[in-house]
Amino acid sequence: MSVFAYPFMRIAIIGAGKIGFTILSALNKMSNVELIATGRSNSTLEKIKSIGVEATTDNNYAVSSSDYIILSVKPQHFPSVLKSVKSWEGKKVVSVMAGIRISTLSSLLKGSKVYRAMPNINAIIGKSTTALAEERDETVEKIFLQIGKVYWVPEELMDAWTALIGSGPAFIAEIIDALSLGAVECGMPRDLSYNAILDMIEGTVELLRKCKHPALLRDQVTTPAGTTIRGLMTMESEGIKSALIKTIEAAYKRSAEIGEQIDRKLRS
Ligand SMILES: NC(=O)c1ccc[n+]([C@@H]2O[C@H](COP(=O)([O-])OP(=O)(O)OC[C@H]3O[C@@H](n4cnc5c(N)ncnc54)[C@H](OP(=O)(O)O)[C@@H]3O)[C@@H](O)[C@H]2O)c1
């Protein structure tokens, strides 16, 4: 009988790299959970052991002895994981690998129930915004709640999610850098402008959560003939909004393209 029948479960992380280890560390704080994680190098195994978790290079043992499996290797290393595991029968498998479709995974991991998760880098501080696809599962949700917020989405939204939420932190960092440099140009010290803008963004996000649409907040700040409208006019004439829309669209297309390439390779 599966250990999951008891108020206890065993979770295997296959590939405790950047994202796998982040998930592992968060799960390690949960009670009623036993963990095992895999890697190839000594340094990965030592890192796993350093937080008191069972470490192995043996993917087959990790999978066969666990109820839930989190697949967090790079897509190009997935074939080697496939070769190393004898059976996926009865396992619940959550793939965080970008691009590989549930249908492809299900056909390769025979007998398993497959889910996809797309977390982001903010998982490091427990603030990931993670998409889960596709059928709801309470335990899968509980696992990813340990690293932040969770949204269940249809799988067809995963590429848009990867663009907006996966790559999003990099886009936001770039925008913040530009705004901060703008203040430097106006004579403000870099550190002061950086810290001030981060605080301003925190406040703005809190306020935006109370607004139905960002334009409502914008209009409240926009005094006739004032400073904000002058800035907004510049944003408009420089095509900032259009550039940002295209940024997400380009990242979305690239995500879909990568997904198709990986899928084609795995199916061939
Ligand atoms: N990083 C993110 O923020 C993020 C966010 C969302 C999704 N993802 C997805 O998560 C996956 C992993 O990304 P990552 O950035 O965490 O990569 P990573 O740091 O390179 O981690 C991958 C891990 O897989 C291990 N590995 C490779 N082949 C293995 C095998 N055959 N058996 C066992 N372990 C194996 C590697 O072990 P060694 O170190 O010992 O070689 C490494 O620790 C990717 O598919 C990516 O698309 C990442």
Side-chain angles (χ1 to χ4, degrees), residues 15 17-19 38 40-41 44 59 72-75 80 96-98 119:
K18 284 189 281 298
I19 197 70
T38 73
R40 296 174 301 186
S41 61
T44 300
N59 291 324
S72 49
V73 296
K74 291 237 164 81
S80 69
V96 302
M97 295 182 294

Side-chain angles (χ1 to χ4, degrees), residues 13-22 37-45 47-48 56-59 71-82 84 95-100 117-124 162 166 262:
I13 311 277
I14 306 298
K18 284 189 281 298
I19 197 70
F21 189 76
T22 301
T38 73
R40 296 174 301 186
S41 61
N42 276 337
S43 62
T44 300
L45 297 178
K47 198 172 62 171
I48 299 166
T56 180
T57 51
D58 188 345
N59 291 324
L71 272 178
S72 49
V73 296
K74 291 237 164 81
Q76 64 267 31
H77 295 138
F78 176 55
S80 69
V81 172
L82 266 180
S84 63
S95 164
V96 302
M97 295 182 294
I100 311 180
M118 185 44 67
N120 69 6
I121 189 77
N122 300 342
I124 292 171
T162 304
I262 297 166

Side-chain angles (χ1 to χ4, degrees), residues 87-91 109-112:
S87 167
W88 300 87
E89 194 66 44
K91 306 297 176 188
L109 312 177
K110 291 203 173 30
S112 68

